[in-house]
Structures are given as C-alpha cells and as structure tokens.
C-alpha cells in the first residue's frame, strides 16, 4: 500500500531560536519529511491532515494556544497515540506539570535532554515513525473490518429480500 505522504510527516514545534529549522534541516537531509510549525494552532492544522511524529521543545508548552494542541491530542481516535518527542533542558523540568498534561493528552512521550546529538534525534524519530506506521496498519485493518461488516450486512439484506420475494412469488 502506498503511504500518504502527510502521514509520514514529522511536525516540529520549537518557537524559540533556531531549534525548529535546525532539526527540520537534519531530518530533511536524511530523507524524512519535516515540517516546521509556527504555533500550536498551526500544529493542530497539520495534524488534521496527518502526522507521524510530533517533535517539540519544552518551551513550546508555554505557548498561549497550547491548550488547543492538548485538546487535539485528547481527541485522537482509539487506534491513535501520536508519538511525541519533547526536548528538555534536563534536570528537574520547570514545566513538569505541563509535561504531565501532555503525557495525559497524548498517551506517552519521549523526553530527550538537550543538547542532543544528531544520531539520538534520528533514532528517536525513527522509533516514533515505526510506532506510528503500526498504528496506521491497525487503523487500516479496523477500516477494512468495518467495510467487510457493512458489505456482509448488505449481502444479508439482499439475500433476505430475494428470499422473501421468492416466497411471495411461490404463494
């Protein structure tokens, strides 16, 4: 099956400094599709069309519109748990409460302490991509099962209609 390119995107939300463009450059140079999101609302917009991994810095958790992103994450379908990688400054996070809210909304998150090496970033994103691909496989199987159930109901209805019309014709 050909994957939707939007479902393979790594969304990067890092509003301070050059973190977002630098991470996107590294990911894109390795053949991945990284998109820099300027705001949490922008991230939500991109997620509606698909995304594989959300890579964000802990500073982005202080954005005024972060509640929209948390709401969007809570509203994921049952098969979905968007892999999230949060880059922290290390030590006891000053944003521990917000990290807990993100984990509650998203399901699970990976915390990486900055400064981060390219190999660590790539490996973490690859793990997230692999996880998301499995989720998309589950989604596709659920969709296929629902379609099969619908087709079975239609077939049963057609058979029932045919059987009843034969019975009426016989009488």
């Amino acid at each position: 099956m050909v994957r939707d390119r939007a479902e393979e995107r790594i969304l990067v939300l890092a509003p301070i400094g050059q973190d977002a463009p630098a991470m996107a450059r590294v990911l894109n140079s390795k053949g991945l599709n990284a998109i820099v999101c300027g705001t949490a609302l922008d991230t939500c917009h991109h997620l509606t069309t698909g995304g594989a991994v959300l890579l964000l810095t802990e500073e982005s958790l202080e954005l005024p519109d972060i509640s929209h992103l948390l709401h969007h994450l809570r509203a994921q379908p049952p098969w979905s748990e968007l892999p999230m990688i949060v880059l922290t400054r290390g030590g006891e996070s000053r944003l521990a409460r917000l990290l807990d809210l993100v984990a509650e909304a998203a399901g699970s998150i990976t915390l990486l302490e900055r400064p981060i090496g390219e190999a660590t970033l790539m490996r973490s994103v690859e793990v997230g991509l692999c996880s998301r691909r499995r989720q998309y496989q589950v989604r596709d199987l659920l969709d296929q099962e629902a379609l099969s159930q619908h087709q079975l109901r239609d077939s049963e209805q057609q058979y029932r209609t045919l059987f009843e019309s034969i019975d009426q014709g016989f009488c």
Side-chain angles (χ1 to χ4, degrees), residues 49-67:
T49 58
V53 176
L54 177 56
L55 176 60
L56 55 124
T57 58
E58 100 183 313
E59 301 85 41
S60 64
L61 301 177
E62 295 179 306
L63 290 172
D65 53 359
I66 197 66
S67 61

Side-chain angles (χ1 to χ4, degrees), residues 163-171:
F163 184 74
E164 289 170 357
S165 66
I166 289 174
D167 190 38
Q168 291 171 357
F170 181 73
C171 288

Side-chain angles (χ1 to χ4, degrees), residues 12-29 34-37 55 57 121:
V12 181
L13 179 59
I16 297 175
Q18 293 299 308
D19 285 345
M23 287 186 289
R25 231 180 350 268
V26 167
L27 295 169
N28 287 326
S29 74
I35 304 291
V36 174
C37 302
L55 176 60
T57 58
L121 176 65

Side-chain angles (χ1 to χ4, degrees), residues 66 68 74 101 114 133 140 152 161 166:
I66 197 66
H68 296 286
R74 282 188 199 99
L101 287 173
R114 292 185 280 189
R133 288 174 182 145
D140 293 345
L152 179 61
T161 301
I166 289 174

Side-chain angles (χ1 to χ4, degrees), residues 86-91 111-117:
V86 179
L87 303 180
T88 70
R89 293 190 179 123
L111 299 176
L112 297 176
E113 188 174 328
R114 292 185 280 189
I116 183 172

